[in-house]
Amino acid sequence: MTKRIGVLTSGGDCAGLNAAIRAITYHAIGTYGWQVIGIRKGTTGLINRPLEYQELTVEFCDSALLRSGGTTLGSTNKDDPFAFPNPDGTRSDRSYDFVEGYEQLKLDALIGIGGDGSLHILRRLADQGGINLVAIPKTIDNDLGHTETAIGYHTALEVATEALDRLQPTAASHQRVMVLEVMGRDAGHIALGAGVAGGADVILIPEIPYTLENICKKITSLAKKGRTFALVIVAEAVKKENGEIATLNKEGGRPRYGGIGQYLGEKIQSLTGAETRVTTLGHVQRGGQPCSWDRIVASAFGVSAVDLIAAGKFDRMVAWQNRQVVDVPIADAIVRYQAVEQGEIMVKTAQGLGIYVGEL
Ligand code: F6P
């Protein structure tokens, strides 16, 4: 019997989403002969009337899609169906519209590509509407449990590493301290990985406390050894010394992180006397072409998610573990927040390289 499956991307976008959409479409149509319906704007496409969707074909998912950034379906990270924003500023529960939209499209199953927040919402919707849900993890923060990687993380890592590669020569030319602020909402994986790959002298992540005194000691000790520059990488969720989070503004009740780089840059300059410049990388970490590893992970996840539907296994998330794609309960993946652990190899590596990674 021909199945009709839906696919949507939800939450912040990242590189590699289109590669997953393509893999789902190729495998569902090519191997199983199913129909694939792409839902537009994340969950919002099934809430809005008329419904916002399009049939995905092999021709639509051409080879250019594999290489492109963003998500061809669009996404949302603020239109929670359980508290959906109305034009007058109030919010209402529109979860029933979502379920009705799923039924109207006569879908047999839904693949949701998202991070912890989106998967939490999708799971609630699936519970409520008896939706056959399969999840694919995506997040540049790489903080989902039970999977070693998620779509988008490696591209963000590449971008942050390249930023250090570009900052190093100019830092050396001008004898400056360069502070690079990277994303990573509450998790330091991007800062830690890029810091090691890009030769940082100081790596600051939210999981490990630091002191300004020891950051400055590290920078002055380099200067004493004749090093004329220093590279500092800091994750956006690192707190100020007094424990305050550096935020830009609040959107939908949750603060937007930003500013810790500037805060640290000013402190470093005043405490060490070294001329300091700050770069905030922001959303360039999410856009652009996916690196090869994200394309591989996205393709493998897309194929395996379709196979899960074929096997009738629902409420599962595909996950990367020990060089294999496995599947785990979605509930387990979202409940276990994967922060950087103090004893993990990347922390040990940074320490072994003499990088200041905070007070361990
Ligand atoms: O969770 C992914 C992420 O890119 C975080 O690293 C960052 O704090 C946040 O999303 C930015 O969200 P927005 O796109 O709403 O500014």
Side-chain angles (χ1 to χ4, degrees):
M1 200 186 91
T2 304
K3 277 192 197 302
R4 262 165 82 86
I5 65 166
V7 53
L8 61 82
T9 48
S10 184
D13 74 336
C14 63
L17 293 173
N18 288 330
I21 293 167
R22 171 182 176 267
I24 291 165
T25 307
Y26 272 32
H27 195 41
I29 296 175
T31 309
Y32 295 107
W34 298 344
Q35 272 186 307
V36 185
I37 307 298
I39 315 293
R40 296 207 153 277
K41 301 184 195 155
T43 44
T44 308
L46 288 186
I47 291 173
N48 284 348
R49 298 293 181 269
L51 294 167
E52 296 187 69
Y53 66 95
Q54 72 176 95
E55 180 158 358
L56 297 174
T57 59
V58 169
E59 295 68 39
F60 176 81
C61 297
D62 63 8
S63 127
L65 196 68
L66 170 68
R67 294 159 230 286
S68 63
T71 161
T72 185
L73 294 175
S75 191
T76 177
N77 64 358
K78 52 181 188 303
D79 294 349
D80 178 356
F82 293 95
F84 197 79
N86 299 313
D88 65 1
T90 59
R91 287 182 178 264
S92 350
D93 183 354
R94 302 282 304 275
S95 56
Y96 294 92
D97 290 323
F98 180 91
V99 173
E100 195 191 85
Y102 175 85
E103 285 163 0
Q104 268 186 35
L105 288 182
K106 300 195 181 340
L107 298 177
D108 298 298
L110 178 68
I111 299 179
I113 311 176
D116 57 346
S118 308
L119 296 187
H120 178 77
I121 289 171
L122 283 170
R123 202 164 172 262
R124 267 183 82 189
L125 290 165
D127 253 14
Q128 183 176 311
I131 293 171
N132 292 326
L133 177 67
V134 167
I136 295 182
K138 70 88 215 162
T139 160
I140 66 162
D141 303 341
N142 206 22
D143 54 2
L144 268 161
H146 300 282
T147 184
E148 284 151 25
T149 192
I151 299 172
Y153 168 60
H154 282 93
T155 304
L157 200 54
E158 291 293 323
V159 173
T161 303
E162 190 194 334
L164 286 177
D165 290 347
R166 289 175 182 273
L167 288 170
Q168 188 276 330
T170 171
S173 304
H174 289 268
Q175 301 89 48
R176 283 175 172 161
V177 175
M178 290 291 184
V179 178
L180 175 68
E181 179 181 314
V182 296
M183 280 185 169
R185 208 180 164 90
D186 307 315
H189 299 288
I190 298 175
L192 185 56
V196 168
D201 303 296
V202 175
I203 300 175
L204 302 173
I205 60 174
E207 296 87 341
I208 305 178
Y210 68 92
T211 66
L212 277 169
E213 192 190 343
N214 285 339
I215 295 173
C216 294
K217 257 194 200 157
K218 174 71 196 177
I219 291 167
T220 19
S221 78
L222 290 170
K224 277 189 194 141
K225 287 181 205 146
R227 177 86 102 59
T228 53
F229 70 92
L231 298 177
V232 177
I233 186 164
V234 56
E236 62 180 356
V238 166
K239 295 192 172 90
K240 296 181 186 171
E241 260 211 328
N242 64 5
E244 253 177 48
I245 303 175
T247 55
L248 299 170
N249 57 27
K250 268 196 178 181
E251 257 176 28
R254 78 171 197 168
R256 272 184 66 212
Y257 290 166
I260 187 65
Q262 194 59 38
Y263 164 85
L264 288 168
E266 283 164 19
K267 294 281 180 200
I268 291 170
Q269 176 149 325
S270 74
L271 294 168
T272 64
E275 194 178 26
T276 303
R277 293 288 186 269
V278 178
T279 302
T280 303
L281 213 43
H283 291 77
V284 294
Q285 292 158 101
R286 297 224 309 240
Q289 279 203 318
C291 68
S292 54
W293 189 238
D294 270 329
R295 297 182 207 185
I296 291 166
V297 167
S299 301
F301 279 169
V303 165
S304 295
V306 169
D307 285 339
L308 279 182
I309 296 176
K313 284 178 89 179
F314 301 113
D315 202 17
R316 314 282 299 176
M317 184 188 85
V318 291
W320 198 277
Q321 288 179 6
N322 300 320
R323 303 167 76 100
Q324 302 286 338
V325 177
V326 298
D327 55 278
V328 298
I330 300 175
D332 289 1
I334 54 184
V335 123
R336 182 161 149 222
Y337 179 70
Q338 190 59 61
V340 171
E341 283 163 13
Q342 301 220 346
E344 74 174 53
I345 183 64
M346 291 305 294
V347 175
K348 283 193 197 157
T349 304
Q351 275 186 299
L353 291 168
I355 300 169
Y356 176 71
V357 253
E359 303 300 305
L360 286 159

